[in-house]
């Protein structure tokens, strides 16, 4: 009989530890496998896309850093995604923006079609992945003044309405082709740098435009609409048309998903506390998990208190089946594949730790008013051997344990990324 590895030994001890609280770690890992996390394609090429990769980023979007090796075309990006995903356990999806189309000629955004994304569909089908989608209402001449769906010019506004309509067709195609519904998220940069006279009018215009966008019914078997708020943006510091209150009301009355981005609120606000409130009024939520350092700076997701709090709320409130989890950040100052892997693995770590909480004991303590016991249980769980369960999870799903994945990334950097154009 072969001797057990240190990882297996540690896992067996951890399994016994959690079983004393009535937790079956194997059942937890099986459940964790069913929760997909959507990886954002735009980390791999600094939100350049393939429509006009040398164009200027607008709409309050900025990427800092010039680490070598960014993807310059779709084949390179897909290769990078494959490498990153091979290092991440559990179910995964890919989140695409409209500007990642592939065409042999220039295609205006209001004229995009499913055929312009067919190679992405073929790639995803080969790997058993789902695809999500986003209209790209930024980095375009017709969004230069930070106005799109709320634009006072009817012609420009209709261009963006038609772009979002066309995007819904692409999203529906994803869902039909891959057998898993695509979540299409609408975010716009609309707002004002200084104090406007009229706040009501643009919001009334935005409401009407969105109503036109989603007027055609598409089965949720294939497609979901989501709307995403923002507190402010660069060039829209004084007023954002699509505020949290606006989109909360819109999602609740129109039956769309509400997107909550962890970086889109005041620095003292947290998404984790909003979830249980939002779910009282909307059926489904899209999470854009990011790390706002000094507001919406889109840093790589760390295993920090707020990430854990988000995962805790999703698990404790039994909200996972009603939530689409996606990551949203872009850091060009470090290896881009490492940025993906760190964020994706951390999201899954947080979900695992939340699933291993002694929920029955915690609920009983709270119900009985024994808040001292509740506090003690919370604190003891912080140092419970959940890390041994994570290591076993990685090993049993054939991905590197611990920081060993970084060696794979550095080899790929040496053999592939370093040979690309700057």
């Amino acid at each position: 009989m072969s001797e057990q590895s240190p990882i297996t030994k540690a896992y067996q001890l951890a399994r016994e530890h959690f079983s004393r609280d009535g937790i079956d770690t194997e059942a937890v890992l099986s459940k964790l496998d069913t929760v997909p996390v959507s990886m954002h394609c735009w980390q791999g090429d600094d939100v350049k896309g393939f429509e006009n990769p040398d164009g200027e980023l607008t709409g309050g979007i900025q990427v800092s850093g010039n680490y070598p090796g960014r993807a310059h075309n779709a084949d390179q990006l897909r290769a990078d995604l494959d490498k990153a995903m091979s290092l991440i356990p559990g179910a995964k999806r890919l989140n695409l923006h409209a500007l990642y189309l592939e065409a042999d000629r220039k295609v205006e955004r209001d004229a995009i079609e499913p055929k312009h994304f067919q190679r992405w569909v073929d790639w995803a089908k080969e790997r058993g992945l789902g695809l999500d989608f986003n209209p790209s209402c930024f980095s375009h001449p017709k969004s230069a003044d930070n106005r799109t769906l709320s634009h006072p010019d009817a012609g420009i506004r209709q261009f963006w309405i038609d772009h979002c309509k066309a995007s819904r067709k692409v999203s529906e195609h994803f869902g039909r082709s891959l057998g898993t519904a695509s979540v299409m998220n609408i975010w716009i940069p609309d707002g004002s740098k200084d104090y406007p006279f009229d706040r009501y009018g643009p919001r009334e215009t935005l409401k009407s435009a969105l109503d036109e966008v989603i007027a055609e019914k598409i089965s949720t078997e294939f497609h979901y609409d989501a709307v995403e708020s923002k507190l402010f943006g660069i060039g829209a510091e004084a007023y954002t048309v699509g505020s949290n209150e606006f989109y909360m009301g819109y999602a609740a009355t129109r039956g769309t998903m509400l997107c909550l981005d962890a970086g889109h609120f005041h620095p003292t606000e947290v998404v984790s506390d909003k979830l249980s409130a939002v779910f009282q009024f909307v059926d489904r939520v899209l999470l854009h998990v990011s790390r706002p350092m000094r507001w919406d700076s889109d840093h790589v997701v760390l295993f920090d208190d707020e990430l854990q709090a988000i995962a805790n709320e999703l698990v404790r409130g039994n909200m996972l089946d009603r939530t689409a989890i996606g990551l949203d950040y872009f850091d060009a100052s470090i290896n881009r594949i490492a940025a993906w892997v760190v964020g994706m693995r951390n999201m899954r770590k947080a979900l695992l730790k939340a699933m291993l909480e002694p929920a029955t004991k915690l609920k009983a303590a709270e119900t009985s008013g024994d808040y001292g016991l509740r506090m003690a249980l919370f604190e003891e769980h912080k140092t419970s051997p959940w890390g041994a369960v994570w290591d076993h999870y990685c090993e049993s799903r054939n991905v590197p344990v611990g920081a060993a994945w970084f060696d794979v990334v550095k080899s790929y950097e040496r053999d592939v990324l370093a040979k690309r154009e700057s």
Side-chain angles (χ1 to χ4, degrees):
M1 180 181 295
S2 60
E3 186 178 351
Q4 286 185 328
S5 71
I7 291 173
T8 300
K9 289 180 180 178
Y11 174 64
Q12 292 298 335
L13 292 172
R15 189 174 186 182
E16 292 174 12
H17 169 90
F18 288 109
S19 69
R20 291 195 288 271
D21 289 324
I23 299 169
D24 181 345
T25 56
E26 286 299 307
V28 165
L29 296 182
S30 294
K31 182 178 181 180
L32 183 61
D33 273 335
T34 68
V35 182
V37 177
S38 196
M39 200 162 89
H40 54 309
C41 73
W42 49 93
Q43 165 61 39
D45 76 326
D46 306 342
V47 206
K48 296 288 187 181
F50 310 126
E51 173 194 72
N52 181 23
D54 296 321
E56 180 184 2
L57 285 174
T58 66
I61 297 172
Q62 293 186 357
V63 180
S64 58
N66 58 355
Y67 197 90
R70 79 170 178 87
H72 292 268
N73 56 58
D75 287 333
Q76 289 182 350
L77 184 56
R78 282 188 283 264
D80 293 352
L81 288 162
D82 279 335
K83 180 56 64 175
M85 289 187 175
S86 72
L87 305 173
I88 302 161
K92 293 170 283 287
R93 301 174 65 88
L94 179 69
N95 198 2
L96 279 171
H97 250 287
L99 48 79
Y100 289 82
L101 82 171
E102 295 178 86
D104 55 9
R105 60 177 179 80
K106 181 174 175 57
V107 178
E108 264 300 354
R109 293 194 193 172
D110 61 345
I112 61 172
E113 299 179 51
K115 66 181 181 181
H116 300 130
F117 300 88
Q118 188 57 45
R119 291 188 66 197
W120 286 107
V121 172
D122 295 340
W123 173 85
K125 186 176 292 186
E126 288 177 2
R127 291 152 181 78
L129 301 173
L131 290 177
D132 299 309
F133 199 60
N134 309 261
S136 299
C137 300
F138 57 89
S139 300
H140 189 278
K142 290 186 177 179
S143 67
D145 59 355
N146 271 3
R147 293 183 293 183
T148 59
L149 291 179
S150 70
H151 206 291
D153 184 300
I156 294 178
R157 185 169 68 251
Q158 192 62 50
F159 173 85
W160 291 112
I161 290 172
D162 291 341
H163 172 54
C164 291
K165 285 182 175 180
S167 295
R168 294 180 87 227
K169 292 296 185 182
V170 174
S171 176
E172 179 185 16
H173 176 67
F174 288 172
R176 288 184 180 276
S177 300
L178 301 172
T180 175
S182 168
V183 177
M184 192 197 87
N185 182 52
I186 299 174
W187 172 80
I188 60 172
D190 297 35
S192 174
K193 182 177 179 65
D194 217 331
Y195 301 116
F197 166 75
D198 181 15
R199 296 172 183 263
Y200 185 91
R203 285 172 173 154
E204 185 176 42
T205 299
L206 175 56
K207 181 179 71 172
S208 296
L210 287 169
D211 284 347
E212 184 176 343
V213 167
I214 68 171
E216 181 181 345
K217 301 301 180 186
I218 300 177
S219 171
T220 54
E221 181 182 356
F222 311 117
H223 163 88
Y224 284 97
D225 294 297
V227 288
E228 179 180 3
S229 67
K230 197 166 189 178
L231 179 61
F232 73 94
I234 299 171
E237 290 87 353
Y239 165 62
T240 300
V241 183
S243 65
N244 180 56
E245 292 76 13
F246 177 89
Y247 281 130
M248 178 69 196
Y250 193 86
T253 57
R254 300 311 196 264
T256 70
M257 294 179 72
L258 179 66
C259 178
L260 298 176
D261 186 300
H264 282 193
F265 296 91
H266 189 278
T268 60
E269 289 185 277
V270 290
V271 162
S272 55
D273 185 57
K274 298 180 186 300
L275 289 167
S276 57
V278 164
F279 269 119
Q280 306 302 319
F281 305 101
V282 301
D283 290 332
R284 293 179 62 84
V285 162
L286 167 62
L287 275 180
H288 273 189
V289 183
S290 184
R291 178 168 56 102
M293 185 182 294
R294 305 294 187 267
W295 185 69
D296 186 29
S297 48
D298 285 306
H299 283 67
V300 178
V301 169
L302 299 184
F303 189 63
D304 58 15
D305 289 345
E306 174 57 7
L307 181 67
Q308 190 60 63
I310 288 171
N312 289 345
E313 287 299 306
L314 292 176
V315 173
R316 294 172 189 172
N318 197 27
M319 307 173 203
L320 284 171
D321 290 341
R322 299 166 62 192
T323 306
I325 303 172
L327 302 192
D328 182 7
Y329 54 80
F330 28 92
D331 189 342
S333 70
I334 62 175
N335 183 295
R336 294 167 184 82
I337 296 173
W340 267 324
V341 178
V342 167
M344 290 285 285
R345 285 172 69 113
N346 280 338
M347 184 71 247
R348 300 206 75 81
K349 285 178 184 177
L351 290 169
L352 172 61
K353 190 175 181 184
M355 291 178 181
L356 290 171
E357 276 192 326
T360 301
K361 289 183 176 180
L362 281 163
K363 191 175 182 76
E366 185 162 284
T367 301
S368 68
D370 193 343
Y371 303 136
L373 175 58
R374 181 185 63 183
M375 179 186 291
L377 291 170
F378 277 146
E379 292 304 298
E380 290 304 316
H381 182 57
K382 290 178 180 178
T383 53
S384 68
W386 68 271
V389 182
W390 169 257
D391 287 346
H392 167 76
Y393 181 58
C394 290
E395 184 177 65
S396 64
R397 271 57 174 178
N398 298 313
V399 302
V401 177
W405 62 266
F406 198 76
D407 294 335
V408 179
V409 171
K410 293 303 288 185
S411 295
Y412 186 76
E413 179 179 302
R414 182 186 63 249
D415 297 338
V416 178
L417 302 182
K419 299 176 182 178
R420 290 180 184 169
E421 300 174 13
S422 60

